[in-house]
């Protein structure tokens, strides 16, 4: 049996970069598209730093 399993998947998103970048680069925007959003209603979030900037969390 293999010691490592690799699973890869690709998809094409038909939207301009200007639309997608803010949704990916700024963590607070992830709630708009994340498939896991809402799976834990008790989850809380805390964001620090300048949204979209290097080092923001």
């Amino acid at each position: 049996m293999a010691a490592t399993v690799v699973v890869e998947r690709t998809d094409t998103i038909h939207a301009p970069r200007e639309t997608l970048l803010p949704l990916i680069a700024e963590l607070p925007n992830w709630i708009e598209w994340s498939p896991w959003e809402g799976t834990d209603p008790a989850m809380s979030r805390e964001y620090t730093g300048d949204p979209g900037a290097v080092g923001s969390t």
Side-chain angles (χ1 to χ4, degrees), residues 10-34:
T10 61
D11 205 344
T12 301
I13 301 172
H14 300 283
R17 291 180 189 185
E18 298 79 26
T19 301
L20 297 176
L21 187 58
L23 293 173
I24 297 168
E26 298 182 21
L27 293 175
N29 292 337
W30 285 31
I31 61 174
E32 295 180 35
W33 61 267
S34 172

Side-chain angles (χ1 to χ4, degrees), residues 33-51:
W33 61 267
S34 172
W36 297 281
E37 187 61 34
T39 57
D40 182 358
M43 183 178 77
S44 64
R45 297 174 184 82
E46 181 179 334
Y47 304 106
T48 61
D50 189 21

